[in-house]
Amino acid sequence: SYVLTQPPSVSVAPGKTARITCGGNNIGSKSVHWYQQKPGQAPVLVIYYDSDRPSGIPERFSGSNSGNTATLTISRVEAGDEADYYCQVWDSSSDPVVFGGGTKLTVL
Amino acid sequence: QITLKESGPTLVKPTQTLTLTCTFSGFSLSTSGVGVGWIRQPPGKALEWLALIYWNDDKRYSPSLKSRLTITKDTSKNQVVLTMTNMDPVDTATYYCAHSLGDCSSTSCYNVWFDPWGQGTLVTVSS
């Protein structure tokens, strides 16, 4: 089955840029979606199709995908961005829907 | 505005069958390209996809749980039902349903994503 690998944690100071990676075999050939989950809340879609933002998601959130790594970038990080972030892909060869293990973003 | 809400038992005994209902509004599950998925999250752990049903009644299941899962839809009631048999304490989790979109032909979809999600319902498996 297809595996998505995320770092367990990322820390960043307020106002700086956070980069959360999602690794997978030739993930650049797939579409990657990203979700934000704050404590006690349901996940919220923040990026789809690698880099598209749903309405209502700040422009500070952006995404890229190439080779074996997809990246969620959060610019000018705020305290309210502290959350768990999950990447997700569709893999027609195995589990159709695959989630990464999640990354806890800590704002210092 | 799309909303979804999960309902069902909060406590089930080992070996019992779990039945969860997702009641939604703001979209129709008869619209081409639309689906509803179920995802669960054990306490303190990552998201795990379970099942997906499309407007055309096409169904997909997690291979590791396929033998235990059944997903159905009632378009007239705007509901999707998930059943999971032979429940075990390791199935203790918050269960979410979510509206899905993706790249779809007349018969199937791919590149599916989930937006929005329901609030989730915590199901505990214990005797």
Side-chain angles (χ1 to χ4, degrees):
Chain A
S1 61
Y2 193 78
V3 176
L4 294 174
T5 301
Q6 297 183 238
S9 62
V10 168
S11 298
V12 63
K16 300 298 186 182
T17 297
R19 294 179 179 84
I20 299 172
T21 59
C22 176
N25 184 32
N26 197 26
I27 195 173
S29 66
K30 303 181 185 299
S31 290
V32 181
H33 317 300
W34 291 92
Y35 303 88
Q36 175 194 67
Q37 185 180 33
K38 296 182 179 179
Q41 298 184 18
V44 172
L45 179 74
V46 293
I47 292 288
Y48 64 106
Y49 280 151
D50 297 340
S51 59
D52 288 348
R53 273 179 292 103
S55 61
I57 301 301
E59 292 183 7
R60 300 185 297 105
F61 288 80
S62 62
S64 62
N65 184 18
S66 178
N68 293 317
T69 304
T71 303
L72 173 69
T73 301
I74 309 172
S75 304
R76 302 180 300 282
V77 167
E78 303 173 354
D81 298 330
E82 192 163 276
D84 293 327
Y85 291 85
Y86 294 90
C87 57
Q88 177 243 311
V89 301
W90 176 271
D91 182 59
S92 58
S93 64
S94 61
D95 292 5
V97 177
V98 182
F99 285 97
T103 297
K104 180 177 181 58
L105 176 67
T106 299
V107 181
L108 301 171
Chain B
Q1 179 192 7
I2 291 175
T3 63
L4 306 97
K5 187 172 184 179
E6 307 85 353
S7 59
T10 57
L11 179 66
V12 297
K13 291 179 169 32
T15 75
Q16 287 187 336
T17 294
L18 171 68
T19 299
L20 293 173
T21 300
C22 176
T23 303
F24 57 85
S25 64
F27 68 96
S28 172
L29 203 37
S30 60
T31 300
S32 179
V34 172
V36 171
W38 284 94
I39 304 100
R40 71 179 179 179
Q41 185 174 38
K45 296 189 177 181
L47 301 171
E48 178 185 19
W49 171 72
L50 301 176
L52 187 56
I53 190 166
Y54 295 113
W55 82 100
N56 59 0
D57 211 37
D58 186 21
K59 300 165 187 176
R60 304 296 174 95
Y61 296 101
S62 167
S64 62
L65 293 167
K66 184 175 183 177
S67 64
R68 300 173 53 204
L69 295 173
T70 302
I71 189 169
T72 60
K73 65 181 176 70
D74 187 330
T75 305
S76 64
K77 292 183 178 179
N78 282 352
Q79 291 182 333
V80 170
V81 175
L82 181 76
T83 61
M84 180 180 291
T85 61
N86 194 26
M87 293 292 284
D88 183 271
V90 300
D91 297 313
T92 294
T94 296
Y95 287 74
Y96 297 98
C97 63
H99 170 263
S100 77
L101 291 173
D103 297 322
C104 299
S105 66
S106 59
T107 56
S108 63
C109 295
Y110 59 101
N111 288 338
V112 167
W113 69 90
F114 301 100
D115 178 50
W117 297 49
Q119 64 187 25
T121 185
L122 176 62
V123 177
T124 301
V125 184
S126 174
S127 54

